[in-house]
């Protein structure tokens, strides 16, 4: 297991992150098995929010994990969450 020794940055999901998000999701069974289209649809929904965590000091940036939320009024529901196996428990 490797230790994260650089800065972790949390930022909004972009379409360029989709393949990395799917790879992390598939490596983290029994996570919710979303399809690419479901992530894309949520990005078009004004109440949907996907955040990704990446190593900010390492070009190219590597995704550590992601979280998926759905906002309702003044709260949000967590719909999906995963951390790449090599970064878990850190």
């Amino acid at each position: 297991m490797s230790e994260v020794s650089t800065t972790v940055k949390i930022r909004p999901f972009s379409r360029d992150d989709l393949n990395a998000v799917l790879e992390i999701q598939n490596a983290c069974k029994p996570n919710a098995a979303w399809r690419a289209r479901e992530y894309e649809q949520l990005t078009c929904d004004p109440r949907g929010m996907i955040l990704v965590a990446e190593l900010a000091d390492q070009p190219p940036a590597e995704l550590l994990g992601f979280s998926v939320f759905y906002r309702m009024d003044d709260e949000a529901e967590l719909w999906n969450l995963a951390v790449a196996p090599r970064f878990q428990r850190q």
Side-chain angles (χ1 to χ4, degrees):
M1 179 181 332
S2 66
E3 294 276 330
V4 177
S5 61
T6 59
T7 304
V8 175
K9 176 182 173 186
I10 306 295
R11 63 169 176 77
F13 170 88
S14 76
R15 293 200 193 290
D16 294 337
D17 299 322
L18 185 57
N19 287 335
V21 164
L22 290 171
E23 285 178 22
I24 292 169
Q25 171 189 273
N26 292 335
C28 296
K29 300 292 184 194
N31 239 31
W34 288 30
R35 290 178 281 226
R37 180 165 171 75
E38 293 167 312
Y39 288 106
E40 291 169 341
Q41 286 175 333
L42 191 62
T43 62
C44 297
D45 187 326
R47 292 183 177 222
M49 179 172 49
I50 304 171
L51 299 174
V52 296
E54 68 182 5
L55 289 177
D57 300 346
Q58 177 182 327
E62 178 181 2
L63 286 191
L64 307 174
F66 67 92
S67 55
V68 179
F69 300 92
Y70 192 78
R71 294 176 290 208
M72 300 178 327
D73 300 321
D74 60 348
E75 51 186 62
E77 290 183 349
L78 177 62
W79 281 4
N80 202 356
L81 171 75
V83 175
R86 74 184 199 104
F87 296 106
Q88 292 176 3
R89 300 177 190 251
Q90 295 187 39

